[in-house]
Amino acid sequence: MYTQAMDTGPKEERKAVRSAEEAQLEERFEARIDEGAFIEAKDWMPEHYRKTLVRQISQHAHSEIVGMLPEGNWVTRAPTLKRKAILLAKIQDEGGHGLYLYAAAETLGTSRDQMIAALHGGRAKYSSIFNYPTLSWADIGVIGWLVDGAAIMNQVPLTRCSYAPYARAMVRICREESFHQRQGFDALLVMMRDGTDAQREMVQDAVNRWWWPSLMMFGPPDGESTHSTQSMRWGIKRISNDDLRQKFVDATVEQAKVLGVTMPDPLLKWNAERGHHDFGPIAWDEFWQVVGGHGPCNKERLAARVKAWEDGAWVREAAMAHARKQALKEQAA
Ligand code: FAQ
């Protein structure tokens, strides 16, 4: 028996030892999660935890980068120099957020090139919201107010995400997003208070078009959310999709009153028993169409990203050539 074990055993035994070791590591990892400890890049983590994070963080990074496009359409048409400067700064911030997030995902062993290739190849997702068109200047205000507002609601709990590099990136991002939300609200308030009737109508029209897609940003209902249970167990997500959506509705309804706009939802009303606003059904078919690549601007957004990447190839090549020359100079010195 012993000899037989020697013949067939070592590999099996190694596997058994490795899995016993892994089981111990996993137990320690789960205990740390239960204690509320942060996980750092060099700590042991289950493969599924790593993959879940790369999926979420890279999707988040892609959203920031693709999210620059609908706003970029309005840089040349901003109504005043002040609004143009604010919009430029905001778009630049979104680019910066993308970079922090790609860097956070890279700490998990996936390169930026791999993530970008997945986006350009249509294999990676980005937020559904950025597949809608920006038709008027009011859309830019509404993106700040509602889209950044929804982003903040979703992202503040991510500052307590169990994966520390993501949590740290989110602290910086949330500070900037809060400025983005206020500038959007301010732009709309000026139009609503000091504008013409046509400008007020433009704001209401933008709210009508962006309200429902903003609610969809929080993801499918909890019962249909593939990843929520595991992600909440691991402390990646701290609050569920539906609970965040409800918090967003409750906060935004009050802000709409200050602005003097109405939400395009006849079923929206305060429910004293629940202590929350009830709201009408969300068109989940539309959401899945957009997520599946068939929204109003999916093709245009991806084509713009791929073109920017290809047009920028010479910059990347020049930077690499410069780095090679510098390295040679340093070697020679
Ligand atoms: N769009 O199981 P769940 C911003 C997918 S940043 C597209 O619930 P999870 C800043 C989901 O990936 C906005 N796909 O998923 C800005 C999954 O598919 P998969 C982005 C969506 O991950 C403002 C499937 O559905 N923010 O706006 C969406 O647990 C203005 C099942 O869903 C973040 O990314 C969606 N809306 O929860 C920039 C925050 N929702 O991956 C410029 C970080 C769900 O299996 C201008 N992410 N899906 O193929 C998160 O918090 C989460 O990933 C959720 C989704 C909550 C988005």
Side-chain angles (χ1 to χ4, degrees), residues 25-26 29 39-51 53 107-108 163:
L25 287 167
E26 186 146 2
F29 170 87
I39 307 297
E40 292 289 347
K42 286 186 179 159
D43 293 342
W44 186 91
M45 61 187 81
E47 258 329 282
H48 188 188
Y49 178 81
R50 184 185 299 277
K51 281 194 181 139
L53 281 164
T107 63
L108 292 154
Y163 187 57

Side-chain angles (χ1 to χ4, degrees), residues 252-324:
T252 317
V253 165
E254 295 309 314
Q255 295 162 6
K257 286 183 194 158
V258 177
L259 274 180
V261 293
T262 48
M263 303 313 196
D265 179 359
L267 299 177
L268 184 67
K269 65 167 189 303
W270 176 249
N271 180 331
E273 211 172 296
R274 289 201 311 121
H276 291 293
H277 291 85
D278 290 337
F279 53 95
I282 294 174
W284 290 114
D285 282 358
E286 175 186 322
F287 170 76
W288 290 117
Q289 282 287 320
V290 175
V291 171
H294 308 293
C297 299
N298 294 60
K299 289 200 175 67
E300 187 184 324
R301 300 287 184 243
L302 207 55
R305 279 310 316 157
V306 172
K307 183 173 182 312
W309 179 256
E310 286 170 357
D311 290 352
W314 70 272
V315 179
R316 294 191 298 278
E317 281 160 21
M320 295 303 283
H322 177 71
R324 272 195 301 273

Side-chain angles (χ1 to χ4, degrees), residues 52 55-71 90-91 94-95 97 101 123-131 143-144 147-152 154-155 158 166 170 173 177 180 213-222 224-229 231-232 236-237 239-241 244 284 287-288 290-292:
T52 300
R55 179 190 62 80
Q56 177 167 325
I57 302 172
S58 64
Q59 284 181 10
H60 193 167
H62 299 327
S63 303
E64 301 280 358
I65 300 288
V66 177
M68 297 164 78
L69 298 170
E71 293 180 315
K90 178 181 192 293
I91 295 172
E94 312 295 2
H97 298 173
L101 290 164
R123 298 186 305 282
K125 292 189 169 70
Y126 57 86
S127 182
S128 49
I129 194 77
F130 302 117
N131 292 306
I143 288 182
V147 175
D148 283 284
I152 296 170
N154 163 266
Q155 291 173 8
L158 292 174
Y166 189 26
M170 291 317 304
I173 292 175
E177 297 290 20
H180 295 173
S214 299
L215 297 191
M216 293 173 194
M217 284 177 72
F218 295 93
D222 292 350
E224 288 165 37
S225 163
T226 332
H227 306 287
S228 278
T229 309
S231 288
M232 291 189 68
I236 295 173
K237 283 167 88 163
I239 305 182
S240 82
N241 297 0
L244 283 172
W284 290 114
F287 170 76
W288 290 117
V290 175
V291 171

